[in-house]
Amino acid sequence: AQSVTQPDIHITVSEGASLELRCNYSYGATPYLFWYVQSPGQGLQLLLKYFSGDTLVQGIKGFEAEFKRSQSSFNLRKPSVHWSDAAEYFCAVGAGAAGNKLTFGGGTRVLVKP
Amino acid sequence: NAGVTQTPKFRILKIGQSMTLQCTQDMNHNYMYWYRQDPGMGLKLIYYSVGAGITDKGEVPNGYNVSRSTTEDFPLRLELAAPSQTSVYFCATEASGNYEQYFGPGTRLTVT
């Protein structure tokens, strides 16, 4: 069975500082990996996705993520955080097949200090 | 172009009552999904559909039913509400082969 672990429940970062969110997955085949962001009271928005090819993928809002197969990780990074990045971030893994059923991690809540 | 709409936004149910959560999309996506999000947790898949007339169970289907008679609509039915169904429910859609899911704003349900 597939699973996703996000080890950090909360992260506090100063505005302008860099941010890295960790994601570890367990999946038997080639994973389809995703990062979603959820602002308070909102639905989820896709930040980026990885299926194959270059292991460093760029997303929206200045985010990037790196796929490391040897470590079963797909960490999300942003070089300089803005106050508007305060939100909850979810890593997810899917099969990519018909009916792309996603398994989500528990989420990491990011607080941004001025 | 409204995307994915969900109604109602909020609802309080008494134990044993029933209700239907509505999800409608105007993106002509074949795939639709229902998730629930419990406090402090990630989303869990309840049911999904790969097209009109085709539905299948996800990870946590007990206590729920779905139907998909049109491409646009994917209602989620709770027959006998229980406190364990207190959650935020999200509907999502996906164009087949795209693997990107678009989420609605959610329905916050409390069962007391």
Side-chain angles (χ1 to χ4, degrees):
Chain A
Q2 57 201 52
S3 66
V4 177
T5 301
Q6 294 180 245
D8 304 303
I9 297 174
H10 294 100
I11 285 182
T12 300
V13 61
S14 297
E15 193 167 14
S18 63
L19 174 68
E20 182 166 11
L21 304 182
R22 295 183 290 165
C23 172
N24 294 102
Y25 69 89
S26 173
Y27 192 70
T30 300
Y32 286 63
L33 293 160
F34 307 83
W35 274 101
Y36 283 85
V37 61
Q38 184 181 33
S39 298
Q42 303 295 313
L44 279 69
Q45 180 184 22
L46 181 69
L47 285 175
L48 47 77
K49 59 190 177 186
Y50 172 79
F51 302 152
S52 63
D54 192 347
T55 56
L56 185 64
V57 293
Q58 302 297 320
I60 62 171
K61 305 186 181 190
F63 285 91
E64 66 179 25
E66 186 171 14
F67 171 63
K68 292 185 177 181
R69 184 184 298 274
S70 61
Q71 299 178 18
S72 297
S73 69
F74 188 55
N75 294 348
L76 182 71
R77 298 193 292 254
K78 186 169 185 178
S80 178
V81 168
H82 186 262
W83 62 266
S84 60
D85 294 321
E88 188 144 24
Y89 293 80
F90 293 95
C91 181
V93 64
N100 183 32
K101 296 178 287 183
L102 295 181
T103 297
F104 285 83
T108 298
R109 184 169 297 279
V110 173
L111 303 175
V112 180
K113 295 190 301 183
Chain B
N1 189 345
V4 183
T5 58
Q6 293 183 238
T7 56
K9 287 186 168 47
F10 304 94
R11 183 73 186 269
I12 298 174
L13 279 183
K14 294 190 185 303
I15 295 171
Q17 288 184 322
S18 61
M19 77 164 293
T20 299
L21 283 67
Q22 301 290 347
C23 175
T24 300
Q25 55 115 347
D26 61 3
M27 296 183 287
N28 201 32
H29 287 173
N30 285 337
Y31 300 164
M32 295 187 76
Y33 307 84
W34 274 107
Y35 294 92
R36 59 177 286 173
Q37 183 182 28
D38 298 328
M41 306 288 286
L43 281 71
K44 293 189 185 298
L45 182 65
I46 306 172
Y47 270 96
Y48 69 101
S49 168
V50 298
I54 306 169
T55 62
D56 206 349
K57 296 177 180 178
E59 183 182 355
V60 289
N62 291 344
Y64 307 94
N65 280 301
V66 293
S67 59
R68 182 99 182 268
S69 56
T70 67
T71 298
E72 294 78 20
D73 299 302
F74 190 40
L76 177 72
R77 179 85 177 160
L78 283 70
E79 290 295 349
L80 289 171
S84 60
Q85 294 177 304
T86 293
S87 191
V88 181
Y89 292 83
F90 289 100
C91 178
T93 72
E94 178 186 327
S96 52
N98 177 269
Y99 310 121
E100 177 174 343
Q101 294 187 18
Y102 295 83
F103 284 79
T107 293
R108 184 175 296 275
L109 175 67
T110 301
V111 182
T112 63

